[in-house]
Amino acid sequence: MKRTALSLLLVFSLTTLYCYPSTGEASANFVLKGRIIDVDEKPVEGGEIFVYDNTQTRRPADFISPKTGRDGLYRIEIPAGRYWVVARVRSGARYGPLMSGGRHSGEAREIEAAAGQELALDFTVADVREMARNLRKSNDDYRSVGGRILDKNGRPVRGAYAFVRREKDGARLPDFISAWSDEDGRYTLHLPSGRYHLGASTAYPPEDGTVYMELNLDSVKIDSTYDIRIKFTDSTMEEGNQNSKEND
Protein backbone atom coordinates (compact mmCIF):
# COMPACT_ATOMS: atom_id res chain seq x y z
CA MET A 1 0.00 0.00 0.00
CA LYS A 2 2.77 2.42 1.00
CA ARG A 3 4.74 1.43 -2.09
CA THR A 4 1.74 2.17 -4.33
CA ALA A 5 1.19 5.54 -2.66
CA LEU A 6 4.87 6.48 -3.12
CA SER A 7 4.72 5.49 -6.80
CA LEU A 8 1.66 7.66 -7.35
CA LEU A 9 3.32 10.58 -5.58
CA LEU A 10 6.42 10.23 -7.78
CA VAL A 11 4.33 10.17 -10.97
CA PHE A 12 2.37 13.25 -9.83
CA SER A 13 5.59 15.12 -9.04
CA LEU A 14 7.16 14.36 -12.42
CA THR A 15 3.96 15.34 -14.23
CA THR A 16 3.82 18.61 -12.34
CA LEU A 17 7.40 19.45 -13.21
CA TYR A 18 6.81 18.65 -16.89
CA CYS A 19 3.59 20.65 -17.25
CA TYR A 20 4.66 23.65 -15.18
CA PRO A 21 8.28 24.67 -15.92
CA SER A 22 10.28 26.60 -13.40
CA THR A 23 9.35 30.29 -13.27
CA GLY A 24 13.04 31.02 -13.55
CA GLU A 25 13.23 29.58 -17.09
CA ALA A 26 14.04 32.19 -19.75
CA SER A 27 11.21 33.10 -22.14
CA ALA A 28 11.62 32.35 -25.85
CA ASN A 29 9.50 35.43 -26.65
CA PHE A 30 10.13 39.13 -26.95
CA VAL A 31 7.83 42.08 -26.32
CA LEU A 32 6.84 44.64 -28.94
CA LYS A 33 5.18 47.72 -27.49
CA GLY A 34 4.55 51.38 -28.17
CA ARG A 35 1.84 53.80 -29.29
CA ILE A 36 -0.43 54.14 -32.28
CA ILE A 37 -1.03 57.81 -33.08
CA ASP A 38 -2.71 59.84 -35.84
CA VAL A 39 -1.18 62.47 -38.13
CA ASP A 40 -1.71 65.09 -35.39
CA GLU A 41 0.25 62.88 -32.95
CA LYS A 42 -2.85 62.11 -30.88
CA PRO A 43 -3.35 58.58 -29.47
CA VAL A 44 -5.61 56.32 -31.55
CA GLU A 45 -8.18 54.07 -29.91
CA GLY A 46 -9.08 50.76 -31.54
CA GLY A 47 -5.79 50.31 -33.39
CA GLU A 48 -4.11 46.93 -33.82
CA ILE A 49 -0.59 45.79 -34.65
CA PHE A 50 -0.45 43.19 -37.44
CA VAL A 51 2.71 41.05 -37.41
CA TYR A 52 3.83 38.94 -40.41
CA ASP A 53 6.68 36.44 -40.64
CA ASN A 54 7.52 37.51 -44.23
CA THR A 55 7.03 40.44 -46.59
CA GLN A 56 3.69 39.12 -47.91
CA THR A 57 1.27 41.26 -45.90
CA ARG A 58 -1.81 40.78 -48.12
CA ARG A 59 -3.03 37.89 -45.98
CA PRO A 60 -4.16 37.17 -42.43
CA ALA A 61 -1.45 38.21 -39.98
CA ASP A 62 0.58 35.67 -38.03
CA PHE A 63 0.03 37.68 -34.84
CA ILE A 64 -2.36 40.53 -33.96
CA SER A 65 -2.17 42.68 -30.86
CA PRO A 66 -5.18 43.53 -28.68
CA LYS A 67 -6.88 46.77 -29.70
CA THR A 68 -5.50 49.97 -28.23
CA GLY A 69 -7.42 51.96 -25.62
CA ARG A 70 -7.79 55.70 -25.39
CA ASP A 71 -4.09 56.09 -24.62
CA GLY A 72 -3.15 54.46 -27.95
CA LEU A 73 -0.76 52.05 -26.21
CA TYR A 74 -0.26 48.51 -27.50
CA ARG A 75 1.74 45.53 -26.27
CA ILE A 76 2.20 42.12 -27.87
CA GLU A 77 4.47 39.21 -26.92
CA ILE A 78 5.63 36.99 -29.79
CA PRO A 79 8.38 34.42 -30.42
CA ALA A 80 11.85 35.82 -31.03
CA GLY A 81 12.69 36.32 -34.69
CA ARG A 82 12.34 38.57 -37.72
CA TYR A 83 8.99 40.12 -38.68
CA TRP A 84 7.23 42.77 -40.78
CA VAL A 85 4.78 44.96 -38.88
CA VAL A 86 2.00 47.42 -39.71
CA ALA A 87 -0.60 49.24 -37.63
CA ARG A 88 -4.23 49.35 -38.73
CA VAL A 89 -7.55 50.68 -37.57
CA ARG A 90 -10.31 48.69 -39.16
CA SER A 91 -13.96 49.68 -39.40
CA GLY A 92 -15.12 46.35 -40.86
CA ALA A 93 -13.66 42.88 -41.39
CA ARG A 94 -10.42 42.06 -39.59
CA TYR A 95 -8.63 40.87 -42.72
CA GLY A 96 -8.32 42.11 -46.30
CA PRO A 97 -7.78 45.62 -47.69
CA LEU A 98 -9.02 48.67 -45.82
CA MET A 99 -12.11 50.41 -47.12
CA SER A 100 -12.79 54.13 -46.64
CA GLY A 101 -12.85 54.99 -42.96
CA GLY A 102 -10.03 52.59 -42.15
CA ARG A 103 -6.51 53.78 -41.34
CA HIS A 104 -3.11 52.28 -42.08
CA SER A 105 0.52 52.98 -41.14
CA GLY A 106 1.92 52.48 -44.66
CA GLU A 107 4.83 50.25 -45.67
CA ALA A 108 5.51 47.34 -43.31
CA ARG A 109 8.38 47.97 -40.88
CA GLU A 110 10.96 45.23 -40.55
CA ILE A 111 11.93 44.27 -37.00
CA GLU A 112 14.10 41.62 -35.38
CA ALA A 113 14.55 40.83 -31.71
CA ALA A 114 16.05 38.13 -29.54
CA ALA A 115 14.35 36.25 -26.72
CA GLY A 116 13.75 38.34 -23.64
CA GLN A 117 14.12 41.71 -25.41
CA GLU A 118 11.65 44.58 -25.38
CA LEU A 119 11.30 46.61 -28.56
CA ALA A 120 9.47 49.98 -28.50
CA LEU A 121 7.99 51.30 -31.77
CA ASP A 122 5.40 53.98 -32.41
CA PHE A 123 3.17 53.89 -35.52
CA THR A 124 1.29 56.71 -37.23
CA VAL A 125 -1.93 55.71 -39.00
CA ALA A 126 -3.87 57.76 -41.55
CA ASP A 127 -6.77 57.28 -43.94
CA VAL A 128 -6.48 57.90 -47.65
CA ARG A 129 -7.72 61.49 -47.39
CA GLU A 130 -5.10 62.33 -44.75
CA MET A 131 -2.34 60.63 -46.74
CA ALA A 132 -3.26 62.61 -49.82
CA ARG A 133 -3.20 65.84 -47.82
CA ASN A 134 0.26 65.07 -46.45
CA LEU A 135 1.65 64.13 -49.87
CA ARG A 136 0.27 67.17 -51.68
CA LYS A 137 2.88 69.67 -52.83
CA SER A 138 2.42 73.31 -53.76
CA ASN A 139 5.61 74.28 -55.59
CA ASP A 140 5.88 74.90 -59.31
CA ASP A 141 7.51 71.54 -60.00
CA TYR A 142 4.24 69.72 -59.28
CA ARG A 143 1.36 69.53 -61.75
CA SER A 144 -2.25 68.50 -61.32
CA VAL A 145 -3.45 65.28 -62.92
CA GLY A 146 -7.17 64.71 -62.66
CA GLY A 147 -10.14 63.04 -64.25
CA ARG A 148 -12.81 60.53 -63.39
CA ILE A 149 -12.76 57.03 -61.95
CA LEU A 150 -15.25 54.87 -63.86
CA ASP A 151 -16.51 51.32 -63.54
CA LYS A 152 -16.43 48.81 -66.40
CA ASN A 153 -19.73 50.21 -67.70
CA GLY A 154 -18.50 53.79 -67.75
CA ARG A 155 -20.38 54.91 -64.63
CA PRO A 156 -18.61 57.23 -62.14
CA VAL A 157 -17.38 55.58 -58.95
CA ARG A 158 -17.75 57.45 -55.67
CA GLY A 159 -15.50 56.49 -52.76
CA ALA A 160 -12.48 55.32 -54.80
CA TYR A 161 -9.05 56.92 -55.13
CA ALA A 162 -6.41 57.27 -57.84
CA PHE A 163 -2.76 56.43 -57.25
CA VAL A 164 0.53 56.21 -59.11
CA ARG A 165 3.62 54.06 -58.81
CA ARG A 166 6.98 54.89 -60.31
CA GLU A 167 7.47 51.18 -60.89
CA LYS A 168 4.75 48.73 -61.80
CA ASP A 169 5.24 46.75 -58.62
CA GLY A 170 2.25 45.58 -56.61
CA ALA A 171 4.41 44.72 -53.61
CA ARG A 172 4.95 48.37 -52.68
CA LEU A 173 2.47 50.98 -51.55
CA PRO A 174 1.71 53.78 -54.06
CA ASP A 175 4.10 56.71 -54.34
CA PHE A 176 1.23 59.25 -54.57
CA ILE A 177 -2.49 58.96 -53.91
CA SER A 178 -5.56 61.16 -54.30
CA ALA A 179 -8.35 61.76 -51.83
CA TRP A 180 -11.60 59.78 -52.22
CA SER A 181 -13.44 60.46 -55.48
CA ASP A 182 -16.67 62.48 -55.35
CA GLU A 183 -20.14 61.56 -56.64
CA ASP A 184 -18.98 62.27 -60.20
CA GLY A 185 -15.98 59.98 -59.75
CA ARG A 186 -13.55 62.92 -59.94
CA TYR A 187 -10.05 62.74 -58.47
CA THR A 188 -6.95 64.97 -58.40
CA LEU A 189 -3.28 64.03 -58.02
CA HIS A 190 -0.32 66.43 -57.59
CA LEU A 191 2.80 64.97 -59.16
CA PRO A 192 6.35 65.98 -60.05
CA SER A 193 7.62 65.28 -63.56
CA GLY A 194 8.43 61.67 -64.32
CA ARG A 195 7.03 58.43 -65.67
CA TYR A 196 4.30 56.67 -63.70
CA HIS A 197 1.77 53.87 -63.71
CA LEU A 198 -1.68 55.29 -62.94
CA GLY A 199 -4.40 53.17 -61.32
CA ALA A 200 -7.43 53.38 -59.05
CA SER A 201 -8.93 51.34 -56.24
CA THR A 202 -11.73 51.28 -53.68
CA ALA A 203 -9.60 49.61 -50.98
CA TYR A 204 -6.24 50.40 -49.38
CA PRO A 205 -3.66 49.05 -50.10
CA PRO A 206 -4.69 48.62 -53.76
CA GLU A 207 -5.86 45.16 -54.73
CA ASP A 208 -3.71 42.81 -56.77
CA GLY A 209 -4.55 42.77 -60.49
CA THR A 210 -4.99 46.54 -60.80
CA VAL A 211 -5.20 47.76 -64.42
CA TYR A 212 -2.64 50.53 -64.99
CA MET A 213 -2.37 53.40 -67.45
CA GLU A 214 1.05 54.65 -68.56
CA LEU A 215 1.65 58.28 -67.54
CA ASN A 216 4.59 60.33 -68.84
CA LEU A 217 4.75 63.79 -67.29
CA ASP A 218 8.21 64.45 -68.73
CA SER A 219 6.55 65.24 -72.05
CA VAL A 220 3.53 67.05 -70.56
CA LYS A 221 4.06 70.60 -69.29
CA ILE A 222 0.47 71.46 -68.35
CA ASP A 223 -2.18 70.02 -66.05
CA SER A 224 -3.64 66.84 -67.56
CA THR A 225 -6.89 64.88 -67.48
CA TYR A 226 -7.13 61.10 -67.48
CA ASP A 227 -10.19 58.92 -66.94
CA ILE A 228 -9.44 55.60 -65.22
CA ARG A 229 -11.46 52.43 -65.67
CA ILE A 230 -11.50 50.50 -62.41
CA LYS A 231 -11.83 46.73 -62.31
CA PHE A 232 -13.73 45.19 -59.42
CA THR A 233 -16.87 43.23 -58.61
CA ASP A 234 -20.23 44.94 -58.12
CA SER A 235 -20.25 43.92 -54.43
CA THR A 236 -16.87 45.58 -53.83
CA MET A 237 -18.05 48.76 -55.52
CA GLU A 238 -21.24 48.88 -53.51
CA GLU A 239 -19.38 48.29 -50.25
CA GLY A 240 -16.85 51.00 -51.05
CA ASN A 241 -19.55 53.53 -51.95
CA GLN A 242 -21.59 52.75 -48.87
CA ASN A 243 -18.62 53.10 -46.54
CA SER A 244 -17.64 56.36 -48.19
CA LYS A 245 -21.05 57.87 -47.56
CA GLU A 246 -21.02 56.77 -43.95
CA ASN A 247 -17.60 58.31 -43.26
CA ASP A 248 -17.89 61.62 -45.10
Side-chain angles (χ1 to χ4, degrees), residues 69-119:
R70 292 182 179 178
D71 55 9
L73 295 176
Y74 74 87
R75 184 183 188 279
I76 182 172
E77 184 173 341
I78 52 180
R82 186 183 183 193
Y83 298 97
W84 286 260
V85 186
V86 297
R88 297 184 179 184
V89 182
R90 305 190 63 85
S91 57
R94 206 170 194 193
Y95 304 115
L98 294 180
M99 306 305 292
S100 58
R103 287 182 279 177
H104 194 283
S105 61
E107 295 284 0
R109 297 172 67 174
E110 184 179 347
I111 64 170
E112 188 169 4
Q117 284 189 320
E118 283 196 351
L119 186 60

Side-chain angles (χ1 to χ4, degrees), residues 201-243:
S201 179
T202 57
Y204 187 85
E207 305 95 328
D208 293 332
T210 298
V211 177
Y212 291 98
M213 177 186 303
E214 299 292 331
L215 187 62
N216 183 3
L217 295 186
D218 289 333
S219 60
V220 178
K221 302 302 180 184
I222 59 174
D223 294 348
S224 307
T225 300
Y226 300 88
D227 287 350
I228 310 170
R229 295 266 180 171
I230 194 169
K231 185 178 180 180
F232 47 39
T233 63
D234 291 338
S235 60
T236 303
M237 181 181 68
E238 289 167 1
E239 183 181 359
N241 289 343
Q242 180 181 358
N243 286 343

Side-chain angles (χ1 to χ4, degrees), residues 21-38:
S22 167
T23 55
E25 183 179 339
S27 171
N29 297 340
F30 78 96
V31 173
L32 177 63
K33 64 181 183 178
R35 284 198 313 158
I36 300 177
I37 58 177
D38 62 19

Side-chain angles (χ1 to χ4, degrees), residues 1 15 28 32 42 49 70-72 75 108 111 118 120 124 131 144 151 156 158 160 168 175 212 215 219 233 244 246:
M1 186 75 171
T15 302
L32 177 63
K42 295 180 180 178
I49 299 298
R70 292 182 179 178
D71 55 9
R75 184 183 188 279
I111 64 170
E118 283 196 351
T124 301
M131 291 177 182
S144 293
D151 66 15
R158 184 179 188 271
K168 196 174 181 179
D175 294 293
Y212 291 98
L215 187 62
S219 60
T233 63
S244 179
E246 290 174 353

